[in-house]
Amino acid sequence: MPRAVVTRPPTARPPGRREARALAVLGLSAFVVGTAEFVVVGVLDRISTGLHVSVGTVGLLVTAYALGVCVGGPALTALTIRLPRRFLLCAALALYTLANGMAAVADGFTALLVVRAVAGAVHGLFVGVASAAAASLVGPDRKGRAVAVVFGGIAAANLLGVPLATYAGHVLPWQWVFAGIAVLGCVALGLTLAVVPQVANSGHGALGAQTRHVLTRPALLALGTGVLLFCGQFTVFTLLGTYLQRVTGVSGGAVGVFLLVFGAAGSVGTLVGGRFADRDAGTTLVVAGVVLTADLGVLFLVGGHPVPTALALAVFGLFGFGLAPALQLRTIELAGPGGDLASTLGASAGNAGIAAGSALAGWFGTRYGVAGLPLAAAGICGATLPLVWALRRMKPPRGVAEVSPGAPDPSTEVAVVGG
């Protein structure tokens, strides 16, 4: 009797213990990086007093970091495009730890400014490499959830790491905050060396080859969409504390409670968004974009009422953070062989949007008042809806399969049946 070949479609398998530990370490590392990114905002006044410069001048530390992510991150990626991912992860964490250690001993504002710009560049490299490495640790049916672990670490930093570091910076010298982050960086580096295995690069070829794949309409559209979506969100988030005080009428510790609601919803949204991205990243983007736009409009309408405002902020955090894994995954998919470069450019696009949104918030708030910020943000996010719809319909480059649940892929099992 002739033997027949039966092809079994792959089943959704959870990651093994080794992969699960590696993902947890990547999430912890992202938590350290996220804490260091935003903690300056909470200790601006302390740095201002300690270095004898104005608070406005100290604010340049935030700008320098953002520029480091936007410009330095892709530059470092270009220089290291052929290096193994595990080596890059360790090198990025080592440099980040060193930068925060140097910030702790900086004896002047100029030195601190330079160190923060370098840290931002390393941040851009790390987020790109970590998210691509996380996706490589699991099967095609779990890539969204794996990327969400990295972004979830950053979200958790906003929820837990930054408030704790801010508190520490007000009861201890501000230098101790950076020293503490450097210690955590050493821990993350040690765990990465011990736990994270070698992973294959998602991109192929030299920088020129990857650049050609990134400079295609689908990949550029994904990057541009990221800029606009984060610009819209940070148009209102940048001055959210001021909005809550002047429009909603809350003050003191109550502002912190509202921000906690937003942060907790964002942490949940990141993880849930990763699960939906595994099912269909394009559709997840469309749904999240529509709900986010509508919710920002609702926030404008109910901003004067505390309870509806808290509910609107929860939806804002849930869907605003929830779209990040899907957007990153879609960007890597549409870049095809340029995936390694695209993963870092995705982080840069987000930070470019944050910088633009922050600047727009300051201009709009000064000219028209903070009450209209949610409406302006809704307009910007609404402008992305045709773009996310187009992204949903686009296909990866030829030769790069877009795997959906239940579809055959390179991991397909082949069984031989016969007698």
Side-chain angles (χ1 to χ4, degrees):
M1 179 178 178
R3 305 200 316 168
V5 177
V6 179
T7 302
R8 297 175 186 160
T11 56
R13 298 187 184 91
R17 289 185 179 180
R18 187 182 184 189
E19 290 77 11
R21 287 196 298 265
L23 287 174
V25 169
L26 290 176
L28 171 65
S29 301
F31 175 85
V32 175
V33 171
T35 300
E37 177 184 11
F38 294 110
V39 73
V40 167
V41 176
V43 293
L44 280 178
D45 56 333
R46 302 282 289 178
I47 297 175
S48 172
T49 302
L51 296 181
H52 308 292
V53 294
S54 68
V55 172
T57 301
V58 176
L60 292 175
L61 294 175
V62 179
T63 304
Y65 195 101
L67 288 175
V69 176
C70 296
V71 180
L76 286 179
T77 301
L79 293 172
T80 59
I81 200 76
R82 289 182 177 272
L83 297 178
R85 280 221 189 98
R86 183 174 182 272
F87 174 83
L88 277 180
L89 283 171
C90 294
L93 285 171
L95 286 173
Y96 204 77
T97 298
L98 178 62
N100 282 281
M102 293 178 66
V105 298
D107 57 358
F109 178 74
T110 301
L112 186 58
L113 189 70
V114 172
V115 166
R116 288 293 292 175
V118 172
V122 179
H123 173 119
L125 173 65
F126 171 82
V127 172
V129 175
S131 58
S136 297
L137 285 169
V138 298
D141 56 298
R142 289 181 172 267
K143 290 184 181 293
R145 274 168 279 188
V147 172
V149 170
V150 176
F151 284 91
I154 297 175
N158 286 308
L159 179 63
L160 181 62
V162 173
L164 288 176
T166 300
Y167 174 77
H170 281 82
V171 298
L172 299 169
W174 63 266
Q175 291 92 339
W176 286 44
V177 173
F178 291 105
I181 291 171
V183 171
L184 289 176
C186 289
V187 173
L189 175 59
L191 289 173
T192 300
L193 287 168
V195 174
V196 177
Q198 296 285 357
V199 290
N201 289 12
S202 62
H204 306 287
L207 174 63
Q210 292 213 31
T211 302
R212 284 194 296 274
H213 288 284
V214 171
L215 296 179
T216 57
R217 188 175 67 172
L220 290 176
L221 183 63
L223 293 171
T225 301
V227 173
L228 286 175
L229 280 172
F230 282 96
C231 175
Q233 293 185 64
F234 274 77
T235 295
V236 64
F237 179 72
T238 301
L239 296 178
L240 185 56
T242 304
Y243 179 87
L244 291 171
Q245 294 178 64
R246 296 183 183 178
V247 179
T248 311
V250 297
S251 60
V255 173
V257 173
F258 277 73
L259 294 178
L260 181 64
V261 168
F262 176 83
S267 297
V268 173
T270 302
L271 299 177
V272 174
R275 296 184 70 88
F276 280 99
D278 284 329
R279 299 181 182 179
D280 190 331
T283 300
T284 300
L285 270 178
V286 172
V287 173
V290 170
V291 175
L292 176 64
T293 300
D295 181 67
L296 289 170
V298 170
L299 180 60
F300 170 73
L301 295 175
V302 304
H305 307 280
V307 174
T309 295
L311 294 175
L313 286 179
V315 176
F316 180 10
L318 191 67
F319 286 88
F321 279 83
L323 60 80
L327 182 59
Q328 180 79 337
L329 186 60
R330 197 71 181 128
T331 301
I332 295 173
E333 287 175 349
L334 293 175
D340 283 327
L341 181 59
S343 62
T344 298
L345 289 175
S348 297
N351 276 272
I354 290 171
S358 298
L360 180 60
W363 174 83
F364 189 97
T366 301
R367 191 175 181 89
Y368 300 105
V370 297
L373 285 175
L375 190 60
I380 297 170
C381 291
T384 68
L385 296 182
L387 304 182
V388 295
W389 180 259
L391 285 177
R392 177 181 177 272
R393 299 173 63 85
M394 287 182 173
K395 301 294 183 183
R398 260 183 213 178
V400 180
E402 187 174 28
V403 182
S404 58
D409 69 78
S411 65
T412 298
E413 299 175 0
V414 178
V416 179
V417 180

